[in-house]
Amino acid sequence: MILFKNCRIIKELTEGYEGEFADILINGDDIIERIDKPGTIEAEGAFIVDAKNNTVLPGFFELHTHLCITDMNYHRLGTMSQAENAIEALSFAREYLKQGYTTIRDAGTIHNVTAELKRAKARGTVNIPDIISSGQIITPTENGNATFANMYYEADSPYEVRKGCRKQFELGNDIIKCMLTGAYLNEAGNPGESIMMEDELLEAVKVAKMKGGYVMGHAHGAEGIKLGIKCGVRTIEHGSFIDDEAIDMLKASNKTFLVPTAAIGLACLDDDGASLSEDMMDKSKRYELAEKAAVNKAYRAGLKLGFGSDIDKENFIRYPGMEFYARTEWFDFEYKDILIQATKNSAEIAGLAEEKGTIKVGKRGELVVIEGNPDEDIYKMKKMPLYVYFQGELIEN
Ligand SMILES: [Zn+2]
């Protein structure tokens, strides 16, 4: 048992409790057993953490990462051994936990590393966040696929897509990632251009459904976004050039959600050609304002947005909390909404709202203590959390 005392709570993220401060008791099965007024819970033998009136949040979700990506020199991936790749991915997963992330959705890997990490976690070998893994990315033959070593599985007909999707599930992955449009960071890729055919995407959605998963669809261009919604993908990743029609379609849908990614945009401009090619830099600069305006419009329309960063390990470690403050700088989101996106919204989008996403009696005890009031100043997220509690491990930073 572990008792968190004197927790400043955020009402929207703490269900079934009124009041500004609380003590939170997590039982031996890591389930939240009681939330009550400070000083009222007697729990003999419990380990006590005094949050000292700092803010306590539920564990964060990262809905878009690539655990195998170590830095922005993407071509380096092709020179790494499988062992190096696995070790780097494991340490990236641990860094996520230290920053308060307890659920990670991996959007594409090489050497099937993320499914292996899940297996290692299930064996009890490593304590890392819960991972939702998509394996290799299903994509048509396209410009720039070779940028990311063997991260892509090329498939050019419904039958090839069927084979590719089945392969990912065979390897132990949970969901499917598809490329519906070109990408900024694929050499000579055109982000606005649709690349996947309707019959191919429908096939991926069908196979994923049969296997109890779903499809996450990479889409920048508006037509690709609309195809994704029409075919029933669970998430639209990035959504950079989303238009009014697509926003209306998402508003009317309770099946498909937008996961914008802000930190990667910030990181690309900061890189300024140090690691990225001229083609990648050119696209990042050219589309910056259009992307900011489009995603801000989707936000103002009231869409339920998920939380994804797409950031590499090097930037993730150098700039703690990057996706949190990037969302205000890049998309002009409100501070408290950003915290809700990272927890409650993303848990719902990932289908895990029964057990995660808010602090509530009966849900999993995954808590993050942040110094100060991040709902009033999102830059508080730049500092590492004071404490992270997850599955029996208390991390003190
Ligand atoms: Zn990505």
Side-chain angles (χ1 to χ4, degrees):
M1 280 194 303
I2 183 162
L3 178 63
F4 282 76
K5 292 179 91 93
N6 305 312
C7 308
R8 175 180 178 266
I9 61 154
I10 292 178
K11 273 202 181 68
E12 290 86 342
L13 298 179
T14 311
E15 293 187 81
Y17 182 77
E18 294 295 320
E20 211 181 330
F21 296 93
D23 287 356
I24 301 166
L25 179 67
I26 298 171
N27 68 22
D29 294 323
D30 275 328
I31 300 296
I32 296 174
E33 194 164 293
R34 235 182 111 187
I35 309 172
D36 220 323
K37 281 191 216 60
T40 55
I41 301 179
E42 295 288 336
E44 210 177 314
F47 188 86
I48 290 175
V49 176
D50 190 348
K52 296 182 178 158
N53 297 337
N54 288 300
T55 305
V56 178
L57 298 168
F60 309 143
F61 281 72
E62 164 67 275
L63 290 187
H64 190 125
T65 190
H66 304 268
L67 288 175
C68 66
I69 294 184
T70 51
D71 54 67
M72 292 185 89
N73 187 0
Y74 301 122
H75 288 285
R76 206 172 77 77
L77 275 179
T79 69
M80 289 165 69
S81 71
Q82 298 191 15
E84 184 181 5
N85 190 253
I87 292 165
E88 290 296 327
L90 170 58
S91 86
F92 196 0
R94 282 292 301 178
E95 293 297 331
Y96 266 108
L97 191 56
K98 285 186 210 163
Q99 287 195 28
Y101 291 83
T102 55
T103 314
I104 288 178
R105 198 172 62 151
D106 190 276
T109 195
I110 64 178
H111 308 316
N112 205 39
V113 160
T114 49
E116 293 301 342
L117 283 178
K118 276 195 331 161
R119 276 193 269 262
K121 181 180 167 71
R123 287 194 301 270
T125 307
V126 292
N127 192 26
I128 50 177
D130 292 326
I131 294 178
I132 304 160
S133 165
S134 62
Q136 274 181 307
I137 301 167
I138 310 297
T139 178
T141 301
E142 256 299 321
N143 284 334
N145 283 354
T147 310
F148 292 91
N150 67 349
M151 197 189 288
Y152 291 103
Y153 183 108
E154 287 185 344
D156 291 301
S157 65
Y159 288 113
E160 287 187 13
V161 168
R162 182 184 291 180
K163 175 80 180 170
C165 293
R166 282 181 164 154
K167 192 75 202 167
Q168 305 320 311
F169 287 116
E170 181 201 9
L171 291 170
N173 295 292
D174 312 296
I175 58 171
I176 296 296
K177 161 89 177 286
C178 289
M179 297 298 279
L180 314 191
T181 72
Y184 285 64
L185 298 175
N186 285 8
E187 207 64 57
N190 178 356
E193 185 183 70
S194 294
I195 59 174
M196 204 164 193
M197 302 281 185
E198 183 169 352
D199 58 356
E200 294 168 328
L201 184 55
L202 279 172
E203 191 63 32
V205 170
K206 245 171 28 189
V207 175
K209 191 172 173 201
M210 184 184 264
K211 298 299 290 181
Y214 59 82
V215 171
M216 58 190 296
H218 161 108
H220 293 291
E223 292 314 310
I225 293 170
K226 284 178 253 190
L227 181 68
I229 303 166
K230 195 174 147 201
C231 293
V233 306
R234 173 75 63 87
T235 54
I236 299 292
E237 306 297 308
H238 317 296
S240 308
F241 314 129
I242 191 166
D243 64 9
D244 290 346
E245 193 187 355
I247 290 172
D248 287 344
M249 287 168 76
L250 281 177
K251 269 201 112 159
S253 163
N254 56 4
K255 283 198 309 198
T256 306
F257 303 93
L258 177 61
V259 180
T261 50
I264 185 67
L266 207 59
C268 285
L269 293 185
D270 279 356
D271 179 76
D272 206 17
S275 302
L276 299 182
S277 70
E278 211 176 306
D279 170 72
M280 294 169 182
M281 276 317 299
D282 175 59
K283 284 180 280 188
S284 301
K285 287 177 180 162
R286 186 150 30 114
Y287 299 127
E288 179 197 347
L289 295 180
E291 177 178 335
K292 286 176 169 172
V295 175
N296 177 268
K297 200 165 187 193
Y299 167 70
R300 282 188 285 111
L303 294 184
K304 182 186 290 175
L305 303 179
F307 198 81
S309 76
D310 211 6
I311 201 70
D312 61 285
K313 182 183 168 200
E314 189 177 62
N315 274 301
F316 184 84
I317 294 171
R318 190 183 298 156
Y319 304 111
M322 190 175 187
E323 182 61 28
F324 289 89
Y325 64 84
R327 288 191 168 225
T328 194
E329 292 178 7
W330 205 252
F331 299 134
D332 202 18
F333 295 168
E334 302 280 341
Y335 299 162
K336 194 186 276 184
D337 288 340
I338 295 170
L339 298 177
I340 293 171
Q341 290 163 7
T343 54
K344 186 171 187 281
N345 281 6
S346 289
E348 289 169 11
I349 291 169
L352 294 170
E354 297 265 293
E355 45 184 308
K356 288 172 176 248
T358 59
I359 299 169
K360 185 185 180 191
V361 171
K363 282 197 184 187
R364 296 236 237 135
E366 303 178 359
L367 301 182
V368 188
V369 183
I370 300 290
E371 193 176 312
N373 304 356
D375 47 323
E376 287 159 6
D377 177 10
I378 203 70
Y379 289 91
K380 295 285 181 210
M381 301 302 291
K382 274 187 152 181
K383 199 170 167 200
M384 294 292 281
L386 297 170
Y387 299 100
V388 179
Y389 182 75
F390 179 66
Q391 297 181 352
E393 184 180 2
L394 180 71
I395 297 173
E396 191 176 351
N397 286 309

